[in-house]
Amino acid sequence: MKKRVSVVLVSAARFSAAVDDFQDLDTEIGSVEERRLIVQLNEQRERNEQQLKEIEQKKIELNLLRTEVDKKLDDLNTLRRQVEKLLAEKDAREQAKVAELSQMYNKMDSAQAARIIQELDRELAIGILGGMKAKSAGKVLANIGGERAARLSAA
């Protein structure tokens, strides 16, 4: 039995050596292919890293632009609120003036008021007549007469 064991051991050793020789041959062939694949993978990794850097740079640029746009929007909103406030103040002043003019025209002679109102801008004339007492406005419209009185009344 010892002979068989030693023969088996010798055969196993020879087989192992043959496998090692084959693996060395396969490793050389495989290593060339592996090197080619590794080179390709490294090139792809470098391209990916470059693309990632570009994406990060663009993110930074976009964030800067977003910050600028947000600031400009805030500035525009502030300006819009200021303009709205100024327009409201202007409208309030105009309404106060129209109310004051309405009181003045209430006290005037209707024929004289009619002559003046005929020369005024349509919107101002409407505002003044709207602010006058109904009786006084009726007398003024009667003195204006015709189509102009009808348009002012309709308005």
Side-chain angles (χ1 to χ4, degrees):
M1 240 198 209
K2 283 190 176 186
K3 280 187 174 184
R4 283 186 177 175
V5 171
S6 64
V7 171
V8 170
L9 286 174
V10 170
S11 295
R14 283 185 188 161
F15 178 75
S16 177
V19 167
D20 287 342
D21 289 341
F22 180 74
Q23 285 177 342
D24 287 340
L25 180 63
D26 189 40
T27 302
E28 288 177 20
I29 293 171
S31 67
V32 170
E33 182 66 20
E34 286 174 3
R35 276 190 232 128
R36 186 183 66 76
L37 290 172
I38 288 171
V39 167
Q40 286 178 347
L41 289 173
N42 283 335
E43 289 172 353
Q44 183 63 41
R45 182 176 46 85
E46 288 174 9
R47 284 191 300 267
N48 289 345
E49 287 174 357
Q50 182 63 31
Q51 287 176 345
L52 185 61
K53 286 178 185 177
E54 290 172 4
I55 289 171
E56 289 299 321
Q57 182 64 33
K58 288 184 179 187
K59 279 184 183 178
I60 291 169
E61 290 173 10
L62 284 173
N63 283 334
L64 288 172
L65 289 172
R66 182 181 297 128
T67 302
E68 285 180 37
V69 167
D70 288 344
K71 184 181 180 309
K72 288 184 180 193
L73 280 174
D74 288 342
D75 291 346
L76 283 174
N77 284 331
T78 300
L79 288 173
R80 181 184 49 81
R81 285 190 297 272
Q82 289 174 350
V83 167
E84 287 174 352
K85 182 180 174 185
L86 290 172
L87 286 173
E89 290 173 3
K90 179 185 172 253
D91 287 344
R93 282 192 306 265
E94 285 179 359
Q95 287 176 357
K97 285 182 181 181
V98 168
E100 186 179 327
L101 286 171
S102 293
Q103 292 305 314
M104 286 175 26
Y105 281 94
N106 266 332
K107 296 176 182 174
M108 290 175 75
D109 176 57
S110 58
Q112 187 180 8
R115 280 192 306 273
I116 296 171
I117 288 178
Q118 281 181 321
E119 300 299 321
L120 294 177
D121 175 59
R122 180 177 186 264
E123 294 301 316
L124 181 57
I126 292 168
I128 291 171
L129 289 169
M132 292 174 69
K133 295 179 185 172
K135 186 176 181 179
S136 297
K139 288 179 182 178
V140 170
L141 285 172
N143 282 310
I144 291 175
E147 188 178 317
R148 173 108 171 139
R151 281 185 276 147
L152 290 173
S153 296

